[in-house]
Amino acid sequence: MTDSEVAVGVTHVADDTMKMTGCGSCGMYMILEGAPGKSFLCMKCRLIELMEEKIRGLEMQVESLVEFRKGFEQIMEQRHEVSEGKSSDLQMEAGLGNSEGRLGEESGQWKHVTKRTRQRKRRASEGEIELQNRFAELENEEGAQQVVTEGDRARKKRRAVSPIGKGEELMEITPNMSPRRIQDGLKRITRENGNGKNLQPEGTGDRLENSTVTRKRQVYVIGDSLLRRIDRPVTRADPENRRVCCLPGAKIRDVDLRLKRILKGAGKNPLIILHVGTNDTARFSLESIKGDYARLGRTLKEIEAQVIFSGILPIPREGQQRCDKIMTINRWLRQWCYKEGFGMYGHWEAFMDRGQFSRDGLHLSREGNRLLGWRLAQLIKRALN
């Protein structure tokens, strides 16, 4: 066999492996090795799809912000109308108080006061000093400063040094004090004196029973093994009310089964961020994954919480077919979340660097963990504010 025959055979083999394929979107031809898929897309068309997806997400966010702004303006207008009504009522009450202050003390009728009557009254009261608060009427007006007399100061000093056992007053209850403030004062006095006696002032029992102590919203970040080592950046701002639940190897069905047990005692309207679906893309079909997401959504609606789904990250160790499947799921997930009233936060463009993944090509490296934790912390900050 000659050299020319060998060269011809190699050329035929190369022609068999290299085939010209056209893009299904733009129609441009490319020479590729092997047999490509039926729906082949070139790199430029994929970038265009990513850009269009991002634009659709931004448009959804703009629409939600516009609706939020309209609702906020309506609430502010209602509050402004209520405040104007209250100010007019206070002005009417102040006018009535000033007119009643001019009535006589004994008869309750108008009196004619002359210069001589003032002098006689002054001579009659020279032997004793009359103490009264000339600014008492100002206490009923909005924004007036409270005037404290010398007698009030002395009474406060006696109250501060009085022991609990003597039954003296320990704190003064004013009409402007809130139930929360009264309750905090009673707890502080009980703690300082170490006495279990009931120090609740008379007339405040009903208000304290009806008042509720406000509690900060609980935040739960639940997902698979990609959430390892992100608890520090996520919980740093509020360790008492933020929790990260990492379930290694968990799929969507596993999270659905354990969700209610994890959220037991979460309080009212918690914030739930779910990062799950990576393990499902390796074993299940698209229709099965969509059905699992739908069942999880029904469970979340029973809990009555604010829910945000975190997009599935790329997997560098897998081929193009697995990446295309993940991109398809992320596109469907964004549309489904918008339809069901959930939030969706994608990370695809932020995790295109191979250095953000560990050697196995599936889990994140320390740099990737820091990036994912920081992005989720910023997401929690925006959702709570």
Side-chain angles (χ1 to χ4, degrees):
M1 193 172 189
T2 61
D3 295 336
S4 61
E5 292 177 352
V6 172
V8 171
V10 171
T11 303
H12 285 299
V13 172
D15 292 339
D16 294 335
T17 57
M18 305 295 290
K19 292 186 179 180
M20 182 174 294
T21 306
C23 177
S25 177
C26 62
M28 295 184 64
Y29 287 91
M30 298 180 65
I31 299 175
L32 301 175
E33 294 182 3
K38 295 182 180 179
S39 59
F40 172 76
L41 295 177
C42 62
M43 184 59 66
K44 293 182 179 180
C45 294
R46 289 177 185 172
L47 293 175
I48 291 173
E49 286 186 358
L50 289 175
M51 188 178 298
E52 290 176 352
E53 181 182 356
K54 194 169 185 180
I55 291 172
R56 286 193 294 269
L58 292 174
E59 289 176 352
M60 294 178 184
Q61 293 179 4
V62 170
E63 291 177 359
S64 61
L65 289 175
V66 170
E67 294 177 357
F68 175 80
R69 184 174 181 180
K70 290 181 180 178
F72 180 78
E73 290 176 355
Q74 292 178 359
I75 293 172
M76 294 303 295
E77 289 177 359
Q78 293 176 0
R79 290 185 177 179
H80 183 65
E81 293 174 358
V82 172
S83 62
E84 287 181 354
K86 288 184 179 180
S87 62
S88 61
D89 295 339
L90 290 174
Q91 289 178 1
M92 293 176 64
E93 292 176 2
L96 294 174
N98 292 333
S99 62
E100 292 175 0
R102 298 175 183 176
L103 295 175
E105 297 178 357
E106 298 178 356
S107 62
Q109 298 177 357
W110 291 95
K111 287 186 177 182
H112 182 68
V113 180
T114 62
K115 184 176 181 181
R116 293 183 179 180
T117 55
R118 292 180 182 176
Q119 291 177 357
R120 286 198 300 270
K121 188 176 180 180
R122 189 181 299 114
R123 293 194 191 96
S125 61
E126 284 179 356
E128 57 184 17
I129 300 175
E130 183 179 1
L131 297 178
Q132 63 179 359
N133 187 3
R134 296 186 296 117
F135 304 95
E137 295 296 331
L138 295 176
E139 295 179 356
N140 298 326
E141 297 181 3
E142 186 178 2
Q145 298 180 354
Q146 296 182 356
V147 180
V148 182
T149 61
E150 294 295 331
D152 294 334
R153 294 194 184 97
R155 187 165 60 254
K156 289 181 180 179
K157 290 182 180 179
R158 291 195 302 270
R159 191 181 300 117
V161 299
S162 63
I164 297 179
K166 294 182 179 180
E168 296 182 3
E169 250 182 296
L170 292 177
M171 65 180 294
E172 184 176 2
I173 306 300
T174 62
N176 296 328
M177 291 180 67
S178 62
R180 176 71 181 276
R181 186 176 176 184
I182 296 172
Q183 190 176 13
D184 292 342
L186 292 175
K187 289 182 180 179
R188 177 177 54 81
I189 295 171
T190 305
R191 185 172 58 254
E192 291 177 356
N193 294 277
N195 193 344
K197 185 179 178 181
N198 185 14
L199 302 176
Q200 181 175 340
E202 297 181 358
T204 61
D206 298 337
R207 290 187 297 172
L208 291 177
E209 290 177 359
N210 296 331
S211 63
T212 57
V213 179
T214 58
R215 180 186 179 186
K216 289 185 177 181
R217 291 181 62 190
Q218 303 292 304
V219 179
Y220 288 84
V221 181
I222 306 171
D224 49 24
S225 58
L226 292 176
L227 299 183
R228 289 175 180 171
R229 296 189 295 270
I230 71 164
D231 51 346
R232 184 171 297 179
V234 170
T235 61
R236 183 182 293 116
D238 192 0
E240 296 181 357
N241 298 302
R242 298 186 183 184
R243 294 174 177 83
V244 178
C245 183
C246 177
L247 305 174
K251 295 180 284 295
I252 302 174
R253 298 175 184 177
D254 300 329
V255 175
D256 186 17
L257 293 175
R258 302 183 186 180
L259 189 61
K260 292 186 178 180
R261 186 172 59 184
I262 294 172
L263 299 177
K264 187 177 181 180
K268 184 178 180 181
N269 192 24
L271 173 61
I272 304 173
I273 299 177
L274 296 171
H275 185 91
V276 65
T278 304
N279 298 318
D280 296 79
T281 58
R283 302 179 182 180
F284 304 112
S285 62
L286 291 175
E287 298 300 326
S288 178
I289 293 173
K290 292 177 182 180
D292 293 341
Y293 271 120
R295 281 189 292 271
L296 179 60
R298 288 193 291 268
T299 304
L300 291 169
K301 287 185 177 181
E302 295 177 359
I303 299 174
E304 295 182 359
Q306 181 183 0
V307 182
I308 300 176
F309 281 88
S310 178
I312 305 176
L313 302 182
I315 304 177
R317 76 177 185 184
E318 301 294 340
Q320 187 64 36
Q321 185 177 1
R322 179 82 175 274
C323 292
D324 292 341
K325 185 177 181 180
I326 294 175
M327 291 175 63
T328 304
I329 294 173
N330 284 336
R331 285 196 295 268
W332 174 86
L333 183 62
R334 183 179 297 276
Q335 297 174 359
W336 176 78
C337 289
Y338 181 76
K339 179 181 177 181
E340 298 294 331
F342 301 139
M344 199 276 182
Y345 188 61
H347 310 277
W348 190 272
E349 294 84 357
F351 287 88
M352 298 300 294
D353 187 4
R354 182 62 177 82
Q356 296 168 348
F357 294 85
S358 59
R359 292 181 179 180
D360 60 1
L362 175 63
H363 298 91
L364 297 175
S365 62
R366 292 190 179 274
E367 181 182 355
N369 287 325
R370 284 194 296 267
L371 178 59
L372 182 59
W374 178 82
R375 289 177 64 87
L376 293 179
Q378 294 298 316
L379 174 63
I380 294 171
K381 183 178 179 181
R382 291 197 298 269
L384 294 178
N385 294 334

